[in-house]
Amino acid sequence: MSHNDGFRALARQECLRLLAKVPVGRIVYTRQALPAVLPVNFGLDTDSSILVRTSAASDLVHAVNGVVVAFEADDFNAAEHSGWSVVVTGRATAVTDPAEHERLSRTGPLSWVVTRDWIFLRIEAEMVTGRELVGTSATD
């Protein structure tokens, strides 16, 4: 017997397809032993990892470089009571290889914040999960 709670689990490829449709997500990490969430604009690399272009001196880079983080993005329609949410969990690393940095400079996301000392953060898509809220009405 299957219980339908109004949600449908999404397969990895569907999750990645949906991520490619939105420009902003949230990095979830630990700051001073407490949970922290930071909205960022992002892009997907060819290997499905999350890419964020940010200042090399940012607190985010120092907090997440080399550690496992979560990344979440979503899209909802309040009027139709529908939408989706995707979570990517994996190790975040600063891109330091010059050839990779050059490639991402041409193909990676642009930062919405102007900075001269930018680098790319990569979040490996080690675990990708998602769910879709199927349209329901408040009276259902």
Side-chain angles (χ1 to χ4, degrees), residues 44 67 70 72 77 91 93 132:
L44 290 177
V67 301
E72 189 271 344
N77 182 321
R91 186 164 306 277
T93 54
E132 177 183 34

Side-chain angles (χ1 to χ4, degrees), residues 95 97-108 118 120:
V95 174
D97 177 67
E100 184 70 354
H101 191 274
E102 176 61 30
R103 179 184 73 83
L104 294 175
S105 296
R106 291 187 313 274
T107 63
W118 55 268
F120 288 98

Side-chain angles (χ1 to χ4, degrees), residues 40-60:
V40 294
N41 69 293
F42 73 101
L44 290 177
D45 202 358
T46 55
D47 66 353
S48 302
S49 60
I50 304 292
L51 293 172
V52 176
R53 187 174 183 163
T54 189
S55 168
S58 73
D59 290 340
L60 176 66

Side-chain angles (χ1 to χ4, degrees), residues 2-134:
S2 170
H3 174 69
N4 181 355
D5 61 0
F7 290 94
R8 177 178 71 88
L10 300 172
R12 179 184 175 95
Q13 284 308 113
E14 179 70 1
C15 289
L16 295 172
R17 184 187 70 77
L18 290 168
L19 282 177
K21 295 173 120 182
V22 295
V24 175
R26 295 157 223 47
I27 296 178
V28 182
Y29 62 104
T30 302
R31 182 176 56 213
Q32 297 177 347
L34 296 172
V37 180
L38 183 68
V40 294
N41 69 293
F42 73 101
L44 290 177
D45 202 358
T46 55
D47 66 353
S48 302
S49 60
I50 304 292
L51 293 172
V52 176
R53 187 174 183 163
T54 189
S55 168
S58 73
D59 290 340
L60 176 66
V61 172
H62 298 295
V64 305
N65 191 24
V67 301
V68 174
V69 300
F71 178 87
E72 189 271 344
D74 53 47
D75 189 28
F76 290 96
N77 182 321
E80 295 181 10
H81 301 154
S82 64
W84 57 267
S85 175
V86 170
V87 176
V88 173
T89 306
R91 186 164 306 277
T93 54
V95 174
T96 57
D97 177 67
E100 184 70 354
H101 191 274
E102 176 61 30
R103 179 184 73 83
L104 294 175
S105 296
R106 291 187 313 274
T107 63
L110 296 175
S111 176
W112 288 5
V113 178
V114 178
T115 181
R116 282 181 266 136
D117 65 335
W118 55 268
I119 64 165
F120 288 98
L121 277 177
R122 174 186 305 282
I123 302 171
E124 299 296 330
E126 295 170 22
M127 187 167 54
V128 180
T129 60
R131 53 190 223 158
E132 177 183 34
L133 172 63
V134 291

